[in-house]
Amino acid sequence: MVFLRNWGDIDERLDPAFYLNIMLFNKNIVSKSAHPVSTFKQKVRMQRGRFGHRPRNDPRYYDGVYPFIQTGNIVKASTTNEKIEYTQTLNELGLSTSRLFHKKVVVMTIAANIGYSAILDYPACFPDSLVALTSKDNSISLEYLNVYIRFIRDYIERLAPQAAQKNINLKQMSKLPIIIPNRDTQDLIVSIMEKAYTEKGKKEKEAQALLESIDKYLLQELGITIPLEKENTLKRGVFYVDSSIMLGTRFDPYYHEPAFSDNLNVIINGKFSTIPLRTAIEGELVKGILPNEIEKVGVSKVVQISNINNDGTIDLSNNITAKPIYSSKHKLVKGDVLVVITGATIGKIGFWNCDKEYYLGGDLVKFNTGNYYLNEIYAALLRTLPYQLQIKRCVTGATNGHLSLFDIGQLPMPDISDKTFQEKIANRIERTHKSVDVLINDGNATIYNAKKSVEKILLGR
């Protein structure tokens, strides 16, 4: 596409994509508006978060009383419409290099994951990858502003440069148009979206209950039982371990916590005898490859940690590509089980059940028993509490945890040889996942239809 731009209008970026997306925004949304239109610069007060110290993970600045919000917290709250959760806090030293936002604000992501928003209703700090938004006058409510940002998120994301890590600055945001209906119409729009998110939340709770039923059913069929409070009994004080037990294993106290030992006994005393995972698989445990900057962008489609959902399904809607740096062993085969071996979601398990050509990305390991039903059972079993505890036991590294291929290969798996039993269990798992998919899709459709209703109101259809 060829288009012309006056030199006097170019004051921020030189790349054509930025101005093309502004043009498309104006054509598809602004020019069709049934209501007055202004700009973020005129109507929205914008303040970036701050955390000036490097490195950002310096422990001296954390574990205090001031909530510290991260990008991931906003992305989660934006997709669920729930209250913003936080997992980190700053102490007084951390506060000195950050900024505490006291008033109720809309918080939006402006780096990496761009354009996600949620309302912050308690005092908190956050880094400069997030921006606080408030109204400059009474013409727009915070709730409407939050909904409007979600409505135009795709446009906001496309305004970000494509090179390196995506980001958008406040000057670029200030150019964004904002449609301003009257307050009654704003309230109606907010109400439509609130009802839709509530309905979506109900569907997701039903789906979560079904997923949890898989764990209960699977463990019951395999004769594995463990109290749910076991994880809370870790680090319970002084304990003694016979030296003969420690021979050939690790010597650190964490590995020999009684709760871990009790958990292992429950696993190996189930209905089936256990064998090391490495003896149950075909070939070898395969470690994925993380492409460097030079190797990124190519013809090879790559599955990363972020593509793996908590229920083990794989989301391919946003994957990276790489140059042809992968060998045939890295190619994903239907039935492959994927294990996250480092990072915040270490131990997360994925199950590859499609025939598309993708390759295994970094910080992931895959294995395959050569038996699709058994693969499906093993993938589901590794997500249960007993096996997640066993995986947790095997993690090494004080700051950045890591799972070794050796430890994964040592995981005790039930030796299930009865084909009829395998098929029965796998079919039950698959049927449940299909029911979960229906609920999730229904929830997403509810949000989609609500956004269409909002679009009709904004555009006067």
Side-chain angles (χ1 to χ4, degrees), residues 99-159:
R99 171 186 290 157
L100 183 65
F101 290 84
H102 293 277
K103 294 182 179 180
K104 186 176 179 181
V105 295
V106 174
V107 181
M108 192 185 95
T109 59
I110 59 173
N113 296 302
I114 295 174
Y116 290 93
S117 66
I119 293 178
L120 178 65
D121 56 2
Y122 55 86
C125 303
F126 42 83
D128 59 5
S129 57
L130 301 172
V131 59
L133 308 175
T134 53
S135 175
K136 286 186 175 180
D137 54 35
N138 292 321
S139 61
I140 53 175
S141 69
L142 282 181
E143 290 73 18
Y144 170 73
L145 177 60
N146 186 39
V147 169
Y148 182 76
I149 290 171
R150 294 176 184 179
F151 177 71
I152 66 170
R153 196 191 78 78
D154 289 343
Y155 289 97
I156 296 175
E157 185 177 37
R158 286 196 292 266
L159 292 177

Side-chain angles (χ1 to χ4, degrees), residues 2 19 38 72 106 125 137 156 188 222 231 264-265 293 303 307 328 347 373 396 440 455:
V2 176
Y19 297 99
S38 186
V106 174
C125 303
D137 54 35
I156 296 175
L188 173 62
L222 299 178
E231 190 170 6
L264 179 58
N265 287 333
E293 289 301 322
V303 168
N307 295 121
S328 58
Y373 290 143
T396 58
I440 296 299
E455 182 179 10

Side-chain angles (χ1 to χ4, degrees), residues 200 203-204 437 439-449:
K200 180 173 181 277
K203 299 286 186 183
E204 289 174 343
D437 289 342
L439 288 167
I440 296 299
N441 290 336
D442 285 351
N444 291 335
T446 300
I447 298 299
Y448 176 82
N449 292 331

Side-chain angles (χ1 to χ4, degrees), residues 269-289:
N269 289 324
K271 187 183 297 185
F272 296 87
S273 60
T274 59
I275 55 176
L277 176 62
R278 68 173 185 276
T279 65
I281 66 177
E282 283 189 343
E284 60 179 325
L285 285 159
V286 178
K287 188 175 181 181
I289 299 176

Side-chain angles (χ1 to χ4, degrees), residues 209-227:
L210 284 176
L211 289 172
E212 291 172 359
S213 75
I214 292 178
D215 291 4
K216 183 178 180 180
Y217 167 76
L218 182 58
L219 294 175
Q220 184 176 354
E221 288 291 324
L222 299 178
I224 300 174
T225 56
I226 188 168

Side-chain angles (χ1 to χ4, degrees), residues 72-291:
N73 303 129
I74 302 302
V75 173
K76 180 181 178 182
S78 182
T79 53
T80 62
N81 200 45
E82 295 177 349
K83 187 181 181 74
I84 300 173
E85 298 177 351
Y86 63 91
T87 55
Q88 284 183 310
T89 56
L90 297 179
N91 54 29
E92 294 295 337
L93 185 61
L95 179 63
S96 68
T97 192
S98 186
R99 171 186 290 157
L100 183 65
F101 290 84
H102 293 277
K103 294 182 179 180
K104 186 176 179 181
V105 295
V106 174
V107 181
M108 192 185 95
T109 59
I110 59 173
N113 296 302
I114 295 174
Y116 290 93
S117 66
I119 293 178
L120 178 65
D121 56 2
Y122 55 86
C125 303
F126 42 83
D128 59 5
S129 57
L130 301 172
V131 59
L133 308 175
T134 53
S135 175
K136 286 186 175 180
D137 54 35
N138 292 321
S139 61
I140 53 175
S141 69
L142 282 181
E143 290 73 18
Y144 170 73
L145 177 60
N146 186 39
V147 169
Y148 182 76
I149 290 171
R150 294 176 184 179
F151 177 71
I152 66 170
R153 196 191 78 78
D154 289 343
Y155 289 97
I156 296 175
E157 185 177 37
R158 286 196 292 266
L159 292 177
Q162 299 301 307
Q165 177 174 287
K166 289 184 177 182
N167 64 80
I168 183 170
N169 61 39
L170 300 191
K171 189 173 182 180
Q172 292 160 358
M173 280 186 59
S174 69
K175 300 178 183 298
L176 290 173
I178 180 168
I179 299 173
I180 309 177
N182 61 50
R183 291 300 289 263
D184 287 342
T185 304
Q186 290 181 33
D187 292 343
L188 173 62
I189 288 171
V190 171
S191 175
I192 289 171
M193 294 308 303
E194 289 285 350
K195 289 178 181 177
Y197 279 114
T198 299
E199 183 63 27
K200 180 173 181 277
K202 290 179 180 178
K203 299 286 186 183
E204 289 174 343
K205 286 181 179 178
E206 290 181 50
Q208 184 59 38
L210 284 176
L211 289 172
E212 291 172 359
S213 75
I214 292 178
D215 291 4
K216 183 178 180 180
Y217 167 76
L218 182 58
L219 294 175
Q220 184 176 354
E221 288 291 324
L222 299 178
I224 300 174
T225 56
I226 188 168
L228 292 179
E229 67 272 10
K230 274 290 183 183
E231 190 170 6
N232 296 326
T233 64
L234 297 177
K235 299 181 181 178
R236 62 185 181 187
V238 177
F239 58 90
Y240 299 90
V241 180
D242 193 288
S243 60
S244 61
I245 296 177
M246 300 180 66
L247 294 175
T249 63
R250 282 162 40 184
F251 283 86
D252 54 299
Y254 176 80
Y255 182 83
H256 295 281
E257 293 253 3
F260 284 141
S261 301
D262 295 344
N263 180 68
L264 179 58
N265 287 333
V266 168
I267 290 175
I268 63 179
N269 289 324
K271 187 183 297 185
F272 296 87
S273 60
T274 59
I275 55 176
L277 176 62
R278 68 173 185 276
T279 65
I281 66 177
E282 283 189 343
E284 60 179 325
L285 285 159
V286 178
K287 188 175 181 181
I289 299 176
L290 180 67

